[in-house]
Amino acid sequence: MLVVAALGGNALLRRGEPLTAQAQRANVKVAAESLAGIVRAGHQLVITHGNGPQVGLLALQGAAYRPDEAYPLDVLGAETEGMIGYIIEQELENALGHDRAVATLLTQVLVDRNDPAFQNPTKFVGPVYDRKEAETRAEAAGWQIAQDGDKWRRVVPSPSPLEIPDTRVLELLLKQGVVVICAGGGGIPILRRDDGSMIGVEAVIDKDAASALLARQLGADALLLLTDVDAIYRDFGKDTAAPIHELTLDEARQLDLPAGSMGPKLAAACDFAGSGGLSGIGRLEDAEAMLDRQAGTRISIHSLNQEVADSHPC
């Protein structure tokens, strides 16, 4: 089975933790143990990850040095892909006892220059601030900001991913049995010029949307969106809250989840499930169990009961 596993931000950095290499490595080490289990179970594995806090921090560092020479977001996205990929690659190699090849691939992702996201930034990047500090920084740097929980953060454009030109390189690596880390932070956003050449653009692509596109282009069997919540909940936050374990594609599309939390994950899961694969949303430590339909929220075109009935006709 070919599995695309998308690591949520908590796999790299938990809310409130310092943005240090040590903190990120400690979290990745835990994630690597779970991911190694997927490989040991005999599955091919492609790993994606977020980069919101990291790309925002690099932007701050660049602006603090020489604001007029700060690198654009596409270049910072490439830097974070290399930085985070290195840590995941090394810890996963350690977890696997260095008996499998692991590689990080900087991944370009094509977006539309006319995407309305460029006029309506929504993607959170960088550290969190109280409102006053966020407004002061935004005024000085020309940022746009938005509320993130009880804090405030910088927001940047997040256009929809259209195509991953580097898929053919990924396929070559997978044919050689390589565990691949790619499309970090949603990949490096690029535009196609009129003459067919490519150029980077100032944006950060949603990691889950890019992961769903990647899984479709690779013909993956499963997409796992790994976070710190064990499942999607019906009536979340109420006394009647209950986890939802199985959803058909139609049932999943009818759910109305917050755009700032599970909404994008559900949209990505539906996007991939529509191609015929299994989508799972749940905790990192439950990754293997989700593949066995024993944990998380699983989304597919048909329910598990329907699949059993189809395979055992009366």
Side-chain angles (χ1 to χ4, degrees):
M1 183 183 291
L2 174 57
V3 179
V4 174
L7 299 181
N10 64 293
L12 303 171
L13 195 73
R14 300 184 186 278
R15 200 168 185 78
E17 285 184 332
L19 265 168
T20 62
Q22 293 84 354
Q24 292 175 76
R25 181 175 289 278
N27 289 325
V28 169
K29 185 174 183 178
V30 174
E33 290 295 335
S34 181
L35 295 172
I38 296 175
V39 178
R40 293 193 199 100
H43 303 299
Q44 287 185 292
L45 179 63
V46 176
I47 302 166
T48 67
H49 58 82
N51 74 341
Q54 293 84 0
V55 77
L57 178 63
L58 288 180
L60 282 172
Q61 291 174 340
Y65 178 57
R66 289 185 178 178
D68 58 332
E69 297 180 9
Y71 288 151
L73 286 173
D74 58 309
V75 175
L76 298 181
E79 288 186 22
T80 58
E81 268 203 273
M83 174 183 69
I84 298 168
Y86 155 67
I87 298 173
I88 296 174
E89 180 178 326
Q90 191 171 74
E91 290 301 333
L92 186 56
E93 287 172 336
N94 290 338
L96 289 170
H98 298 270
D99 63 358
R100 285 290 297 272
V102 183
T104 301
L105 178 70
L106 298 186
T107 315
Q108 300 175 88
V109 178
L110 185 69
V111 300
D112 185 348
R113 71 181 68 216
N114 296 315
D115 192 303
F118 287 111
Q119 305 303 318
N120 181 34
T122 58
K123 178 67 175 176
F124 290 116
V125 300
V128 297
Y129 305 102
D130 61 42
R131 182 167 185 169
K132 183 176 180 181
E133 183 177 2
E135 289 174 342
T136 299
R137 288 178 177 271
E139 183 177 356
W143 292 352
Q144 289 184 266
I145 57 173
Q147 191 166 6
D148 182 11
D150 60 349
K151 299 292 185 179
W152 289 73
R153 295 175 72 186
R154 180 186 178 188
V155 288
V156 300
S158 183
S160 298
L162 301 178
E163 179 187 340
I164 301 176
D166 297 315
T167 300
R168 56 186 178 179
V169 181
L170 287 166
E171 291 172 337
L172 290 173
L173 292 169
L174 290 171
K175 285 179 181 178
Q176 298 302 314
V178 178
V179 178
V180 184
I181 303 156
C182 63
I188 304 163
I190 60 170
L191 300 175
R192 180 177 283 122
R193 294 180 172 125
D194 293 338
D195 64 1
S197 62
M198 305 290 193
I199 187 70
V201 64
E202 283 261 67
V204 175
I205 301 168
D206 179 74
K207 171 261 302 173
D208 294 320
S211 299
L213 174 61
L214 175 69
R216 289 203 326 270
Q217 287 195 204
L218 290 175
D221 300 289
L223 170 66
L224 303 181
L225 303 170
L226 304 174
T227 180
D228 57 355
V229 178
D230 63 337
I232 292 174
Y233 275 71
R234 199 180 307 278
D235 297 333
F236 183 76
K238 300 180 181 178
D239 292 339
T240 55
I244 306 172
H245 294 302
E246 292 281 347
L247 286 168
T248 66
L249 183 57
D250 288 340
E251 290 169 341
R253 285 173 171 164
Q254 291 173 20
L255 293 179
D256 183 18
L257 299 182
S261 57
M262 272 297 178
K265 285 183 171 29
L266 180 64
C270 289
D271 183 17
F272 175 70
S275 68
L278 170 69
S279 291
I281 300 175
R283 297 185 304 177
L284 175 65
E285 54 266 39
D286 293 335
E288 280 188 86
M290 273 191 276
L291 293 176
D292 294 331
R293 292 183 180 269
Q294 298 299 313
T297 297
R298 288 88 59 188
I299 301 169
S300 53
I301 292 179
H302 301 295
S303 69
L304 177 60
N305 291 337
Q306 182 63 50
E307 290 174 6
V308 172
D310 290 345
S311 62
H312 295 86
C314 298

